[in-house]
Amino acid sequence: MLKVSNLSVSYSDVRVVDQLNLTLGEDEILMLIGPTGCGKTTVLRALAGLIPIQTGEISLSDWTASPQKHIAPEKRRVGMVFQDFALFPHLTVEQNVCFRLKDTTRADHWINLLGLEALRDAKPGRLSGGQKQRVALARTLAHAPSLVLLDEPLSNLDAALKDSLRWDIRHALKMAKVPAIWVTHDQDEALSVGDRIGILDKGQISQIDTPEQCFDKPQNRFVAHFLGEASFLPGQFSGENALTELGAAPIRQQPELTQGDVLFRPDDLSLHAVAEDGNGRIEWQRFEGESRLYAVTLDSGRLVKVRASHENAIAIGDRVAVNIATTHPLAVFG
Amino acid sequence: MLKVSNLSVSYSDVRVVDQLNLTLGEDEILMLIGPTGCGKTTVLRALAGLIPIQTGEISLSDWTASPQKHIAPEKRRVGMVFQDFALFPHLTVEQNVCFRLKDTTRADHWINLLGLEALRDAKPGRLSGGQKQRVALARTLAHAPSLVLLDEPLSNLDAALKDSLRWDIRHALKMAKVPAIWVTHDQDEALSVGDRIGILDKGQISQIDTPEQCFDKPQNRFVAHFLGEASFLPGQFSGENALTELGAAPIRQQPELTQGDVLFRPDDLSLHAVAEDGNGRIEWQRFEGESRLYAVTLDSGRLVKVRASHENAIAIGDRVAVNIATTHPLAVFG
Amino acid sequence: VNAVQQAVSVNSLPKLVGELTLYLGRGEGGLYENVLEAIKKRNPQLTLNIRRGGTAALANTIVAEAQAGVRRADVFWAVDTGAIGLMTDEKLAQPLPDDLTEQLKPGFQYAGWSPVTGRIRTLPYNTERVTAAQIPDDVMALADSDLQIGWAPAYASFQSFVTAMRILEGEDATAEWLKGVSGHAKSYAGELGVVMGVERGEVDMGFANHYYTLRLKAGKPDAKVDLAFTKNDAGCLVNASGIVALSEGDLPVNFIRYLLTQEVQSYLSSEAYEIPLVKGVAEPQGLVPLNTLSPPKIDLRKLADIRPTLNLMRKVGVL
Amino acid sequence: MRTWPKSYPLAFLIALLALLPVFVLMQLASDSAEIFDSRNLTVLGNTLALMGLTVVGAVMIGVPLAFFTAYVHMPLRRLWLILLAAPLAMPSYVGAFTLYFSFGRGGEIEQWLGIPTPPVSGLWGTALVMALYTYPFVMMTTRAALLSQDASLINASRTLGLSLGASIRRIVMPRLWNSVAAGALLAALYALSDFGTPAILGLDTFTRVIFVEYNAFGLSQAAMLSLQLMVIVILVLYLESRVKATPEQPGRHLLFWPTKVQRWLMQLAALPPFLLAIVLPLVIFVTWLLREGSGGFEWAYAWNSAYASFLAAMVAVVLALPVAHAALRGQAGRLMERITYFGFGVPGIVMGTALVYLGLKLPFLYQTLALLVIAYVLRFLPLAVGSVRTATENLDGGLVNAARVLGASPREAFMRVTLPLTLRGMVAGAALVFLEAMRELPATLMLGPTGFETLATYLWRVYEAGYFGHAALPGIMLVVISGFGLILMLSGERRTEFSI
Ligand SMILES: Nc1ncnc2c1ncn2[C@@H]1O[C@H](COP(=O)(O)OP(=O)(O)OP(=O)(O)O)[C@@H](O)[C@H]1O
Ligand SMILES: Nc1ncnc2c1ncn2[C@@H]1O[C@H](COP(=O)(O)OP(=O)(O)OP(=O)(O)O)[C@@H](O)[C@H]1O
Ligand SMILES: [Mg+2]
Ligand SMILES: [Mg+2]
């Protein structure tokens, strides 16, 4: 079990991670997301013992590190997949993966699973970006650490591989019963793979909860914006209802609020083209394969995003009628 | 206008790009996607003149390169954002971006737009992954090339930034009227930003067409699988209809085929939980924010993926009824 | 005729005027320097350019220059007679006037070059390990003594000494002698090393030019080393440093005259412990007077014939 | 479409220039009858043994010190670097002499402290002294490589559970071999060509045979023997060329912050080479200085030394660039680079004489400072080439590609990307040439302008005459000026620091 309390990290004078607290269960997977430069990699580096920490305490099953008591990285049994791979350029793929292994069966397992068989004897210099990432992944997982830190481990892989790999990794982590912190920029990944999601903003955790909770009940606008598309419309609240310019919407009751903004996800709204009237105009649209995302400028001037089937393509500038289509209560912010 | 004909590239003996043909209009953006290691980066490197080509011809407005006539990279006026950034470690962010610029206004423009103002004087060594990527992007765009090659330019950025940046880049490319080839692993990116998509498989182009065409009318199963989730069910075709184990489905007529597989996208099907009967069981499900993706093992043993609202969560192992819900004709393969 | 002739004084010499390039085949610390400084001071109109270097290296340079038709050196002052021999063999040396050569002691008068100072072969011995009486006065007897001997076979002075022995005693005797000594000898790089080895008691005695011992004792008065001499054989050979005029004219010759003056000779004798070779100059302190020694009579130019010596030493296996 | 790399013509010219002295040697040797004397076989054995031991010793001292100076954070880091590189400025014959003089029965150490010490002589003693005066070759080339290695690899290795020491062994060292080898090559060539040290310490090596011939005016035989020595040189060059590196991008630079105690211990361990190679000779000379007083020293000697050496260092580095560049472009370039090493493997006097013959072909240059600088460059070019090459070799081509895609010509890419990133190697190379030129003797004596006295020639003059007290001042000056030279060059290196 990992326990981090009041962790702060600075580079020279700049505090990059600020009083961070988190605990991780036996085999829990925490997805860490946040804007670039918010300190995700720094948190991982601190946990791995690669940079000194300024305040707080990090403890795993059998060690506790603090600013006074630095534990060397190699004593922590923490595995890390680096954002820039950090493959050993003088070793082949196989030698990289088997780096410290006596028994290479686990290495073979991961080499196979990650489709690196044909590249066993290649040096990192001639691998493609995705191949390098897979080697880095295999190396860490094969060394069976007691805590796994993954820094955007799949960012350079194609969607199909990414999709199957994230399940394989999750599976492996669960099987080995090791906790993991997984940094990602991919919302699908964050929402689907993790047991919990932590949203990091300027070195502090904004919300840490299950994917469903984070998505449906974001703590604040930052989280709402950061996970999925979000549009806000002002409304007057009365009990479980809010009155907005698009009409009445069911909301999650917040007794102390009588007015504020209602959070609409693109699928909470529907739209159809109209010859005349309607309540807005298409600002831009984007093809997403199975669906299309429309941005509509309402007549009030506010912009909302609406997801619709890919079949009906409405041209930019056309008038549309936007309606509230949700049946579940929406989140509101004061 | 870029014209590539019969381009082949090998590393020592291994042919990585094989007889590739493509043309790019004045200010067209081509999204290049494909599995890792399929040769995307290699294509870009060949276009930039960084590796010799074995056969074929590459021509841009004022030059033509062939195996006999190598044109030096610096003579091609081709800009490239490298997958591993390739920032100059001894130069600051500003010096990197202004590398060969006399007039730095364009550099300032991109530094601003990409939010690098505060990092002007930082050396790459202390940048986060996403920050590096933005610097690489700014550097290329600021140098105003006549063809832009982007190798996964946004893979390390968070979703929100990615989303806005891809529009900014598209916009800039269109404004400057430069054609671009943009390698990505992000399906949303591929489908939404590009004018056309090229799907590369083992060094050959499988299909090159508009996003809509590629998604709706994939040339072959590989393309279908690669762009979006795909399930196939066998059926008997008669005219514009196919009879499958889930019932009748509208198909795009293919006179020469009387039977084959029908391609179902997750939104072409619908499902609801049933106490008894139904036609399948939930194999796994995944939360995607606004929706949930279910994998259902039909009683025939085949697996289909169905997308449904995130509100109704059906437990794994529950029985469900899957129905065909599409109104538009589906693609079929012999 | 001039048995008790006084050496010439600098005061009686003509002033040197013009530019002169001296190749100085040895650097004697500040001492030669002081001599040259003094000459320059007396002759303000003389521009003296000095090029220093190893004697062999400078000799080779002069030969190379001559082959290329370039002449840079007017005078060549060399430590050992081998280099002088090369100059005369290559016909590069200008003849010297008789009145100059006649200033030198008998046996040191040559037409093509002039000896400047002499050095005598000595047997430095460790005063704690052996007494003077134990050192034989016949160098040939050392071959089968049981003394531990230090020598420097690669050193030019030693090779001149062997050459002298070869001339005096013949090839075979010399070969026997080398073989005999090598049985109880320790090799050093140079004769300074030999003297130091003796002083430190690594060996009982050694072969070295006299001045190394005198200088060592000057810096370290309690040094446990003293000098012994043999009689009438190569063991107490007096060899010389020499000077050759390479360009015609009076200036080089007159320059050489300065080196043979009373002042210069006695300065080198008292400060560098070199043996003055001009008639009527006192010998260095701490060295037994030259006239009490009995050096062998030998034409020093013959010492330049070093090739057979090397072959001999190689054959015996000491080189 | 294959065209000659742009650096080839220049490199070819330089290689040709480097080959000229060898041609002269061949011409000189053509008079010689004797090809090989079988009696020289034991001498050959001694030479090879000395070379081997020297390399081992230089690597064993130089590599740890490279780590110490590159990775350990401590006050006065640069001073340490300078002190540890200083042995290159001290002529090794001086060191050999003083060590011989201090150790052993009746040596100075026994006289002062009454502690008997083993003598420094024979094969082991010679190898020890040689290693003491050649380890900076290894230290400088290795340090330059260490500074450009990406530290994140050590981090990766440590998170995989490997201790720091083991990580260095398995991750840093294997990527370092080419730089170590480049330094070791220089040490080996130095050991092959040095005369003074083995002679003083009583080891019979090839150079002594050459020296005896030379002094007996058997110049042609000496040249022939030197050419034979070059066969060994070629062998060593070949062996070194087999060590290859994997290119990589430079990255974050690693720095360790040891505790006070650790730092003291490390500094204590780093001190002995400096004490033996620099302090001991100076102490001996100073005691003689006190006994017999100094005289005749002029400050101009110091200026002459510094000036000529500095010029040589700069020219050598500039010429090293195309050669190093060519070496990485192909077989032919590699060969050209190897040729430039010849000058360093031939004994100084023989090389000096060859250069006299060469210089005489250009009478307007003969005995001018310009020719002396050319001679230094011809002799010490390999010091610069080796350092520059290893630094460039380790650099991944990705950055150059990035520059070219931005429109920079290969030249511009080289100047603005490769060059700054390999500046460390260049500084190391310049420093090596500078230090080596400071102590160079034979060529200075034979080729410098008449009357041009340097610290090394003055030191030799007084040493040779046995006036050791006079050697103290030039000895100290050599070390001090080397220090200044190094500071000057290292300040150039500092500007490219891109570590955190
Ligand atoms: N220098 C090289 N030498 C030999 N093979 C190479 C070299 N560079 C790349 N390859 C191989 O060529 C193939 C294509 O590589 P490329 O980098 O073009 O892939 P990619 O499509 O960009 O993959 P990714 O999406 O992972 O970046 C890979 O299998 C790779 O291993
Ligand atoms: N060595 C360093 N010295 C100074 N500042 C640094 C250093 N490393 C990182 N930073 C700064 O600290 C902040 C956090 O960096 P970090 O790498 O943790 O970001 P991140 O959240 O991982 O971003 P990304 O998603 O882009 O990888 C950034 O603003 C970065 O510029
Ligand atoms: Mg990061
Ligand atoms: Mg790629």
Side-chain angles (χ1 to χ4, degrees):
Chain A
M1 210 188 89
L2 174 76
K3 199 163 163 355
V4 177
S5 51
N6 293 322
L7 177 71
S8 305
V9 183
S10 307
Y11 288 115
S12 22
D13 296 338
V14 190
R15 179 141 295 192
V16 172
V17 176
D18 199 12
Q19 300 286 339
L20 185 123
N21 289 288
L22 70 93
T23 44
L24 223 60
E26 270 301 283
D27 62 349
E28 199 181 9
I29 299 176
L30 175 73
M31 307 302 286
L32 199 60
I33 62 173
T36 54
C38 71
K40 302 180 296 297
T41 300
T42 308
V43 170
L44 300 197
R45 286 163 62 85
L47 296 185
L50 299 176
I51 38 174
I53 62 177
Q54 267 66 49
T55 71
E57 218 176 67
I58 305 169
S59 63
L60 200 65
S61 44
D62 51 0
W63 54 263
T64 301
S66 63
Q68 290 74 42
K69 183 154 164 285
H70 181 76
I71 310 270
E74 63 270 23
K75 303 252 168 64
R76 298 190 180 205
R77 289 180 299 108
V78 168
M80 182 155 173
V81 176
F82 289 80
Q83 198 167 6
D84 51 4
F85 320 136
L87 299 182
F88 306 130
H90 59 301
L91 302 182
T92 63
V93 165
E94 182 171 7
Q95 287 167 335
N96 261 285
V97 176
C98 298
F99 189 60
R100 293 200 63 239
L101 299 181
K102 298 248 154 44
D103 172 14
T104 60
T105 47
R106 238 193 346 255
D108 291 336
H109 168 75
W110 282 106
I111 287 179
N112 267 318
L113 192 66
L114 295 170
L116 296 169
E117 203 49 66
L119 299 171
R120 263 178 191 273
D121 298 321
K123 292 268 177 84
R126 45 148 293 199
L127 298 185
S128 78
Q131 289 164 339
K132 278 188 205 160
Q133 201 159 47
R134 282 183 276 160
V135 177
L137 203 54
R139 185 175 67 180
T140 301
L141 296 176
H143 280 75
S146 13
L147 165 65
V148 175
L149 306 172
L150 302 153
D151 202 353
E152 310 193 21
L154 307 177
S155 63
N156 280 286
L157 303 184
D158 60 272
L161 188 59
K162 201 181 275 196
D163 207 53
S164 65
L165 264 185
R166 54 188 174 221
W167 297 105
D168 289 336
I169 299 174
R170 185 187 154 88
H171 210 68
L173 292 171
K174 291 292 179 191
M175 290 281 283
K177 286 207 187 310
V178 276
I181 298 182
W182 181 327
V183 170
T184 182
H185 280 314
D186 186 320
Q187 299 217 4
D188 281 353
E189 199 163 289
L191 290 169
S192 59
V193 184
D195 297 318
R196 282 194 295 160
I197 297 185
I199 296 106
L200 200 65
D201 183 23
K202 305 203 187 79
Q204 291 182 308
I205 287 202
S206 276
Q207 182 166 7
I208 183 165
D209 212 330
T210 60
E212 283 84 353
Q213 287 293 321
C214 288
F215 190 80
D216 283 343
K217 299 180 190 135
Q219 201 85 50
N220 53 37
R221 282 159 209 259
F222 172 79
V223 175
H225 254 304
F226 202 77
L227 270 185
E229 301 282 354
S231 317
F232 294 93
L233 288 179
Q236 301 294 329
F237 309 153
S238 63
E240 300 194 330
N241 258 291
L243 192 65
T244 70
E245 59 183 286
L246 295 180
I251 61 164
R252 206 165 288 123
Q253 201 173 348
Q254 295 231 19
E256 71 282 9
L257 288 178
T258 59
Q259 63 171 47
D261 285 346
V262 183
L263 162 65
F264 290 93
R265 298 291 185 186
D267 69 326
D268 294 329
L269 300 171
S270 68
L271 95 175
H272 57 270
V274 289
E276 268 161 56
D277 291 341
N279 51 6
R281 270 185 326 101
I282 300 287
E283 186 69 30
W284 50 256
Q285 62 99 359
R286 139 181 141 198
F287 181 60
E288 288 181 332
E290 293 168 40
S291 55
R292 254 175 227 279
L293 186 72
Y294 291 96
V296 180
T297 313
L298 297 179
D299 292 340
S300 65
R302 294 197 182 81
L303 193 90
V304 290
K305 291 175 197 156
V306 186
R307 187 160 281 125
S309 153
H310 66 216
E311 286 159 55
N312 48 336
I314 309 175
I316 291 172
D318 280 7
R319 299 264 329 150
V320 289
V322 178
N323 297 308
I324 296 173
T326 184
T327 53
H328 62 110
L330 304 178
V332 293
F333 299 93
Chain B
M1 208 186 90
L2 175 76
K3 198 160 162 359
V4 177
S5 51
N6 294 322
L7 176 71
S8 305
V9 184
S10 308
Y11 289 114
S12 21
D13 296 337
V14 191
R15 180 141 294 195
V16 172
V17 175
D18 200 11
Q19 300 287 340
L20 185 121
N21 289 288
L22 71 92
T23 44
L24 223 59
E26 270 299 284
D27 61 348
E28 200 182 7
I29 300 176
L30 175 73
M31 309 302 287
L32 199 59
I33 63 174
T36 54
C38 71
K40 302 180 294 298
T41 300
T42 308
V43 170
L44 300 197
R45 286 162 61 84
L47 296 186
L50 298 175
I51 38 175
I53 62 177
Q54 267 67 49
T55 71
E57 218 178 66
I58 305 169
S59 62
L60 200 64
S61 44
D62 51 358
W63 55 262
T64 301
S66 64
Q68 290 73 43
K69 183 153 165 283
H70 181 75
I71 309 270
E74 65 272 19
K75 302 253 168 64
R76 299 189 180 206
R77 288 178 300 107
V78 168
M80 181 157 176
V81 176
F82 291 81
Q83 199 168 6
D84 54 1
F85 320 138
L87 299 183
F88 304 125
H90 58 301
L91 302 180
T92 62
V93 166
E94 182 172 4
Q95 288 167 334
N96 261 284
V97 176
C98 298
F99 188 63
R100 295 202 69 241
L101 298 181
K102 296 249 155 41
D103 172 14
T104 59
T105 46
R106 237 191 347 253
D108 291 337
H109 168 74
W110 283 105
I111 287 179
N112 268 319
L113 191 67
L114 295 170
L116 295 170
E117 203 49 66
L119 298 172
R120 263 179 190 273
D121 298 321
K123 294 269 176 86
R126 44 149 295 199
L127 298 185
S128 78
Q131 289 164 341
K132 277 188 209 164
Q133 202 158 46
R134 281 183 278 159
V135 177
L137 206 52
R139 184 174 66 179
T140 300
L141 296 176
H143 280 75
S146 16
L147 166 66
V148 175
L149 305 172
L150 302 152
D151 202 351
E152 309 192 23
L154 306 175
S155 63
N156 279 285
L157 303 183
D158 60 88
L161 188 58
K162 202 181 274 198
D163 207 53
S164 65
L165 265 185
R166 55 188 173 219
W167 295 105
D168 288 338
I169 299 174
R170 186 187 154 87
H171 211 70
L173 293 172
K174 291 293 179 192
M175 291 281 284
K177 286 208 187 308
V178 274
I181 298 182
W182 180 327
V183 170
T184 183
H185 280 315
D186 187 321
Q187 301 217 0
D188 281 354
E189 200 163 288
L191 290 168
S192 59
V193 185
D195 297 319
R196 282 193 294 160
I197 298 185
I199 296 108
L200 200 66
D201 183 24
K202 304 203 188 80
Q204 291 183 306
I205 289 202
S206 278
Q207 184 167 5
I208 182 163
D209 213 330
T210 60
E212 283 85 353
Q213 287 295 322
C214 289
F215 190 80
D216 283 343
K217 299 178 192 136
Q219 201 83 52
N220 53 35
R221 283 158 211 259
F222 173 80
V223 174
H225 254 302
F226 201 77
L227 269 185
E229 301 282 352
S231 317
F232 294 94
L233 288 179
Q236 303 294 329
F237 310 152
S238 61
E240 301 195 330
N241 259 289
L243 192 66
T244 70
E245 59 183 288
L246 295 178
I251 60 165
R252 204 162 292 122
Q253 202 175 345
Q254 296 232 15
E256 70 284 9
L257 287 179
T258 60
Q259 62 172 44
D261 285 345
V262 184
L263 161 65
F264 291 92
R265 298 290 186 188
D267 69 325
D268 293 330
L269 300 171
S270 68
L271 96 175
H272 57 271
V274 289
E276 268 162 56
D277 290 341
N279 51 6
R281 271 184 327 102
I282 301 287
E283 186 70 29
W284 50 256
Q285 60 101 351
R286 138 181 142 200
F287 181 61
E288 288 182 331
E290 293 168 40
S291 55
R292 253 175 228 278
L293 186 72
Y294 292 95
V296 180
T297 314
L298 298 179
D299 293 340
S300 65
R302 296 198 181 81
L303 192 91
V304 290
K305 291 177 199 154
V306 187
R307 185 160 282 125
S309 151
H310 65 217
E311 287 158 53
N312 49 335
I314 311 175
I316 290 172
D318 280 8
R319 300 267 323 152
V320 289
V322 179
N323 297 308
I324 295 174
T326 184
T327 53
H328 62 110
L330 304 178
V332 293
F333 299 94
Chain C
V1 194
N2 301 324
V4 283
Q5 184 198 347
Q6 267 308 112
V8 179
S9 162
V10 280
N11 298 321
S12 61
L13 288 179
K15 284 275 185 271
L16 301 174
V17 178
E19 190 168 347
L20 187 80
T21 299
L22 165 69
Y23 278 22
L24 178 57
R26 162 184 223 183
E28 286 293 297
L31 293 167
Y32 282 15
E33 232 48 58
N34 291 348
V35 169
L36 297 171
E37 274 310 313
I39 294 176
K40 272 199 263 184
K41 208 161 173 190
R42 282 195 72 84
N43 301 284
Q45 283 164 291
L46 173 72
T47 312
L48 183 63
N49 306 313
I50 306 169
R51 166 170 293 274
R52 302 176 180 82
T55 297
L58 284 182
N60 280 325
T61 303
I62 290 168
V63 172
E65 285 174 0
Q67 281 173 7
V70 173
R71 209 206 58 234
R72 293 290 161 99
D74 300 310
V75 197
F76 178 31
W77 185 359
V79 248
D80 77 84
T81 41
I84 302 286
L86 186 67
M87 294 298 106
T88 48
D89 288 353
E90 297 277 330
K91 314 247 180 304
L92 297 173
Q94 301 293 330
L96 296 176
D98 290 345
D99 67 316
L100 188 149
T101 51
E102 275 164 12
Q103 288 174 265
L104 290 147
K105 291 181 184 169
F108 295 102
Q109 301 177 350
Y110 300 94
W113 63 286
S114 163
V116 179
T117 52
R119 70 281 316 273
I120 186 164
R121 298 296 302 169
T122 60
L123 307 179
Y125 64 94
N126 185 295
T127 50
E128 283 189 341
R129 291 173 62 130
V130 285
T131 60
Q134 284 170 273
I135 314 280
D137 61 2
D138 175 10
V139 76
M140 299 313 281
L142 283 167
D144 30 51
S145 82
D146 51 5
L147 290 168
Q148 287 295 310
I149 296 177
W151 67 2
Y155 202 62
S157 288
F158 183 83
Q159 289 164 2
S160 295
F161 151 69
V162 178
T163 308
M165 183 184 287
R166 206 166 45 78
I167 294 164
L168 295 171
E169 319 280 341
E171 297 267 334
D172 296 344
T174 308
E176 280 306 306
W177 184 87
L178 285 169
K179 237 181 270 171
V181 176
S182 70
H184 47 105
K186 182 171 189 293
S187 284
Y188 291 86
E191 298 197 332
L192 177 62
V194 170
V195 173
M196 286 183 156
V198 170
E199 200 270 335
R200 290 162 72 164
E202 289 176 7
V203 288
D204 299 321
M205 55 149 290
F207 298 104
N209 283 341
H210 74 278
Y211 50 81
Y212 289 116
T213 308
L214 299 188
R215 281 183 211 160
L216 183 77
K217 289 180 77 163
K220 193 176 174 190
D222 56 347
K224 300 183 279 287
V225 62
D226 224 332
L227 289 179
F229 300 88
T230 58
K231 285 201 172 70
N232 261 325
D233 56 25
C236 61
L237 170 76
V238 174
N239 200 345
S241 70
I243 189 158
V244 206
L246 296 169
S247 64
E248 292 165 23
D250 287 342
L251 188 57
V253 174
N254 286 339
F255 177 78
I256 294 174
R257 286 184 202 278
Y258 270 80
L259 298 184
L260 303 183
T261 55
Q262 166 73 32
E263 289 84 351
V264 170
Q265 290 280 313
S266 51
Y267 178 80
L268 288 178
S269 156
S270 62
E271 298 296 320
Y273 306 96
E274 309 247 344
I275 299 169
L277 294 179
V278 172
K279 295 171 188 160
V281 182
E283 270 145 35
Q285 287 283 317
L287 187 69
V288 285
L290 198 54
N291 54 24
T292 65
L293 301 175
S294 39
K297 307 273 175 297
I298 193 165
D299 180 349
L300 290 184
R301 276 176 310 175
K302 288 189 183 156
L303 297 183
D305 189 17
I306 204 163
R307 176 84 23 214
T309 309
L310 294 185
N311 291 340
L312 181 68
M313 289 172 76
R314 286 233 178 83
K315 208 169 74 199
V316 178
V318 300
L319 199 61
Chain D
M1 70 156 252
R2 277 218 160 265
T3 50
W4 286 104
K6 295 257 180 341
S7 53
Y8 268 25
L10 258 179
F12 183 74
L13 270 179
I14 296 168
L16 210 61
L17 203 64
L19 214 50
L20 284 181
V22 181
F23 287 143
V24 174
L25 285 187
M26 286 177 175
Q27 204 176 3
L28 290 176
S30 62
D31 305 345
S32 160
E34 215 167 327
I35 298 295
F36 190 76
D37 185 345
S38 62
R39 273 171 299 192
N40 290 340
L41 275 180
T42 49
V43 174
L44 186 66
N46 281 346
T47 307
L48 292 178
L50 173 65
M51 185 180 81
L53 288 177
T54 302
V55 165
V56 170
V59 168
M60 275 177 13
I61 303 173
V63 171
L65 289 182
F67 274 92
F68 176 68
T69 51
Y71 282 169
V72 178
H73 180 91
M74 60 192 161
L76 303 176
R77 252 173 96 195
R78 267 156 218 282
L79 179 69
W80 273 95
L81 178 64
I82 287 162
L83 293 185
L84 291 172
L88 274 194
M90 184 67 85
S92 58
Y93 69 86
V94 170
F97 173 74
T98 43
L99 277 163
Y100 170 71
F101 193 68
S102 310
F103 285 89
R105 237 186 62 194
E108 290 282 309
I109 292 183
E110 188 176 332
Q111 288 182 23
W112 292 338
L113 309 173
I115 316 168
T117 47
V120 173
S121 65
L123 177 61
W124 293 96
T126 313
L128 171 74
V129 175
M130 235 18 147
L132 277 179
Y133 287 93
T134 54
Y135 79 79
F137 291 137
V138 180
M139 186 184 82
M140 295 297 279
T141 52
T142 309
R143 175 179 174 274
L146 278 178
L147 285 179
S148 49
Q149 282 197 0
D150 187 354
S152 72
L153 296 183
I154 288 204
N155 288 340
S157 151
R158 292 184 76 186
T159 60
L160 291 173
L162 208 59
S163 70
L164 182 59
S167 299
I168 286 176
R169 243 191 347 272
R170 288 194 46 195
I171 299 305
V172 180
M173 289 307 292
R175 288 147 62 219
L176 212 56
W177 286 126
N178 72 319
S179 308
V180 174
L185 169 67
L186 299 174
L189 295 186
Y190 190 92
L192 279 183
S193 64
D194 189 32
F195 165 71
T197 308
I200 290 168
L201 299 178
L203 181 72
D204 205 2
T205 61
F206 223 80
T207 46
R208 206 225 51 203
V209 181
I210 294 174
F211 201 69
V212 166
E213 281 301 333
Y214 186 87
N215 274 331
F217 308 103
L219 186 54
S220 64
Q221 188 66 21
M224 171 57 87
L225 288 166
S226 298
L227 287 176
Q228 288 170 14
L229 192 61
M230 296 223 339
V231 176
I232 309 180
V233 172
I234 290 171
L235 193 76
V236 176
L237 283 173
Y238 171 74
L239 286 180
E240 193 263 354
S241 72
R242 315 219 6 140
V243 183
K244 294 230 167 62
T246 330
E248 52 189 277
Q249 285 196 10
R252 273 172 231 259
H253 162 200
L254 196 64
L255 208 56
F256 297 125
W257 301 70
T259 62
K260 252 205 170 82
V261 180
Q262 286 171 331
R263 208 174 67 213
W264 275 105
L265 285 176
M266 278 191 266
Q267 291 178 344
L268 213 63
L271 222 43
F274 174 66
L275 289 181
L276 282 178
I278 298 287
V279 176
L280 187 72
L282 290 183
V283 167
I284 300 272
F285 287 155
V286 169
T287 53
W288 283 81
L289 176 72
L290 297 179
R291 274 183 211 158
E292 52 179 48
S294 77
F297 181 77
E298 285 174 32
W299 292 100
Y301 304 165
W303 167 249
N304 287 347
S305 278
Y307 183 58
S309 305
F310 195 76
L311 285 180
M314 294 303 123
V315 177
V317 166
V318 170
L319 293 188
L321 289 176
V323 178
H325 191 260
L328 300 176
R329 283 307 119 105
Q331 285 297 319
R334 192 86 179 152
L335 188 68
M336 295 177 209
E337 182 236 11
R338 299 279 104 179
I339 284 171
T340 61
Y341 275 75
F342 286 170
F344 198 57
V346 175
I349 40 161
V350 180
M351 194 65 193
T353 307
L355 289 173
V356 165
Y357 278 87
L358 217 54
L360 281 166
K361 296 268 184 302
L362 306 165
F364 62 98
L365 275 180
Y366 185 61
Q367 294 187 350
T368 62
L369 184 62
L371 185 67
L372 182 62
V373 170
I374 293 174
Y376 283 160
V377 170
L378 285 184
R379 287 211 62 199
F380 303 136
L381 189 60
L383 300 175
V385 169
S387 308
V388 175
R389 173 179 46 84
T390 52
T392 322
E393 199 166 47
N394 289 342
L395 192 69
D396 184 33
L399 295 176
V400 174
N401 284 343
R404 293 191 63 188
V405 168
L406 290 173
S409 65
R411 219 184 78 93
E412 184 180 350
F414 182 74
M415 298 302 291
R416 294 187 56 191
V417 178
T418 312
L419 208 59
L421 290 175
T422 50
L423 197 67
R424 284 203 177 90
M426 292 167 55
V427 168
L432 289 179
V433 174
F434 178 78
L435 295 182
E436 193 63 30
M438 285 287 287
R439 71 174 170 185
E440 206 286 338
L441 187 62
T444 316
L445 286 174
M446 290 190 213
L447 295 167
T450 296
F452 184 79
E453 194 89 35
T454 67
L455 290 174
T457 60
Y458 178 72
L459 192 64
W460 165 79
R461 218 165 91 192
V462 296
Y463 160 81
E464 216 249 348
Y467 293 104
F468 303 130
H470 297 190
L473 255 175
I476 293 170
M477 287 308 294
L478 266 179
V479 176
V480 169
I481 294 184
S482 308
F484 277 121
L486 283 178
I487 289 173
L488 206 71
M489 284 180 254
L490 289 172
S491 61
E493 171 185 305
R494 178 181 244 150
R495 260 186 275 124
T496 63
E497 203 110 337
F498 42 85
S499 54
I500 44 172

